[in-house]
Amino acid sequence: MQDRASGLFLLLALPVALASCQNGVGIGDDNAAGDKWAGCYDHSCVSAPQRVPGVPPLASLSAKTYHTCGLTPAGEAWCWGDNSVGQLGDGTDERRGGPVKVAGDLRFSVVTVGSGFTCAVAVGGTAYCWGSGASGELGQEAPELCMAGRVACARSPLAIPGRAYTTIAAGIRHVCALDTAGAAFCWGFSLLGETGNPAFGERVLPPFRVPGSDVFTTLAAGDAFTCGLTNAGRALCWGSNNRGELGRTVGACGNVFGFTNVCSPTPGPVVTAERFTALSASNGHACAITPAGTALCWGDNGQGQLGTRDFNQYDHPVVAQGGMSFTAVNASGAATCGTPAGGASVCWGLNLAGKLGVGTRVELSTAPLPIKGGPRFASFAGGQDYVCALDAAGAAFCWGGGRMGQLGSGEMLP
């Protein structure tokens, strides 16, 4: 759900009073404040952070649609949530409400979660993917069938041969990785050029070298677009620009599936003189942090997720939340969460299924709202309707929707 109108339609169908938007903040019911479901419109979500049990301290987290994975400092991969196509990598396609260790003895340096699949780079540089391979997400033809034979998949890590990689980022149905020279390679579904390949609406197999001579150090993959940071801190993006995701103006890229789209399969710089140290991409928006801690965001803003206190779409980076200084920012779905320098963590945007973690029935907020309990998180990873985060000790916490076990609480919320 990315446009504000569709979000309002969903909420209007619920038997509660909708929030109004006053002074940049959506205000709604604050009943049952002591209830873990306070702020949710039904009991399929949790509106405040809860600790994920049964998982060791983690060094990093990644989340996308309905599952989450993290790495321990030693490189063990643990995952939880939806597993219908083997995306948890435990050798099964059985849904897991609590964390499970990825099968095998591999140690990873980075893990990334897509929609129904997971990829990681092992110590030594070999990339592995598992889960759905229906759109080429595994970088090759999938060796198994999941969901009663309906979906091509791999239930455990499958090596992607050809080269060594240093980092990797998964979008909804595509993956991009950097080789040891900083060149970007992508594979999977290239709806609007997010793989760097102009074969719009087709699978890209095997990994395809993204055009250009740019040397990247960081990648972030959104719905149908990809962004990267160069070693000089410049942000470049490619793929769909229907919602301003590329941070610059590009032309029409042809009729794809009956619609005229705006996109570019070639990396180009976002329109800003700023340099960045961190980057995050969501379904339709992206955010990055400058060396001074200022967060700049661009793209879809239909739910206030850019933090500009309005609902205007921006095809160039704009300063989020009045220039507040952040140590971490994460864009996910139609929301953004971050940790201000010296302060407690906050979220803004659409409060789908309690995703903002504020413990109240707020429809949305264009201003930053404090996460319930005043936690200070070191990093975030957001899925479709939920967010997970790590504190300074590596403890994992999640909140928001939980029907697929994505909160890792050991249960699928009814």
Side-chain angles (χ1 to χ4, degrees):
M1 181 192 316
Q2 288 297 300
D3 62 286
R4 189 164 184 243
S6 63
L8 288 173
F9 178 82
L10 172 62
L11 293 173
L12 283 169
L14 297 168
V16 295
L18 272 182
S20 61
C21 196
Q22 302 174 2
N23 300 320
V25 180
I27 300 173
D29 298 339
D30 189 12
N31 55 1
D35 189 335
K36 73 175 182 177
W37 289 297
C40 296
Y41 289 97
D42 58 41
H43 278 199
S44 67
C45 64
V46 172
S47 190
Q50 60 178 13
R51 176 79 176 265
V52 178
V55 64
L58 299 174
S60 65
L61 274 179
S62 181
K64 194 66 71 176
T65 307
Y66 296 118
H67 79 289
T68 309
C69 292
L71 291 182
T72 69
E76 286 185 350
W78 290 74
C79 301
W80 58 90
D82 185 22
N83 195 32
S84 57
V85 285
Q87 58 263 54
L88 302 190
D90 66 344
T92 77
D93 53 6
E94 298 176 9
R95 190 186 305 172
R96 306 291 188 181
V100 293
K101 186 176 176 296
V102 172
D105 297 322
L106 291 167
R107 292 294 182 269
F108 300 103
S109 59
V110 60
V111 66
T112 183
V113 166
S115 181
F117 69 99
T118 306
C119 294
V121 174
V123 174
T126 301
Y128 290 81
C129 293
W130 56 94
S132 173
S135 297
E137 301 95 329
L138 305 182
Q140 58 203 285
E141 297 298 338
E144 303 177 78
L145 291 173
C146 293
M147 296 185 70
R150 298 196 305 272
V151 178
C153 71
R155 295 180 175 88
S156 56
L158 182 67
I160 297 177
R163 66 189 62 250
Y165 296 100
T166 59
T167 192
I168 196 164
I172 297 297
R173 290 185 290 176
H174 79 288
V175 186
C176 293
L178 298 181
D179 71 4
T180 55
F185 289 78
C186 301
W187 60 92
F189 195 66
S190 192
L191 176 64
L192 293 172
E194 58 267 41
T195 63
N197 192 315
F200 301 139
E202 298 181 11
R203 297 194 311 165
V204 172
L205 295 172
F208 174 82
R209 169 70 187 269
V210 175
S213 58
D214 298 290
V215 175
F216 294 100
T217 59
T218 302
L219 289 174
D223 185 348
F225 73 104
T226 309
C227 295
L229 295 183
T230 69
N231 53 9
R234 296 171 64 238
L236 287 81
C237 300
W238 59 96
S240 171
N241 201 38
N242 287 334
R243 292 173 286 186
E245 302 99 315
L246 302 189
R248 68 184 193 277
T249 300
V250 299
C253 56
N255 190 295
V256 182
F257 298 137
F259 297 93
T260 299
N261 295 274
V262 179
C263 71
S264 172
T266 304
V270 300
V271 183
T272 179
E274 294 285 358
R275 298 296 184 260
F276 301 106
T277 58
L279 178 67
S280 175
S282 173
N283 288 14
H285 77 291
C287 293
I289 301 178
T290 71
T294 303
L296 276 73
C297 300
W298 59 92
D300 186 21
N301 196 32
Q303 310 290 350
Q305 57 264 50
L306 299 189
T308 55
R309 311 296 175 92
D310 60 36
F311 300 103
N312 299 324
Q313 180 174 291
Y314 292 90
D315 63 359
H316 59 276
V318 290
V319 174
Q321 303 307 346
M324 289 174 61
S325 180
F326 289 91
T327 59
V329 167
N330 176 262
S332 67
T336 305
C337 292
T339 299
S345 297
V346 296
C347 294
W348 62 91
L350 181 65
N351 194 31
L352 176 65
K355 184 177 179 178
L356 300 188
V358 297
T360 60
R361 287 186 178 178
V362 174
E363 176 200 345
L364 58 83
S365 175
T366 63
L369 296 181
I371 296 172
K372 188 174 178 64
R376 179 174 171 80
F377 292 117
S379 62
F380 302 86
Q384 179 67 21
D385 62 353
Y386 75 105
V387 174
C388 293
L390 296 179
D391 67 12
F397 295 79
C398 296
W399 60 93
R403 278 202 173 107
M404 305 299 287
Q406 63 266 42
L407 302 184
S409 60
E411 60 179 336
M412 270 69 77
L413 299 180

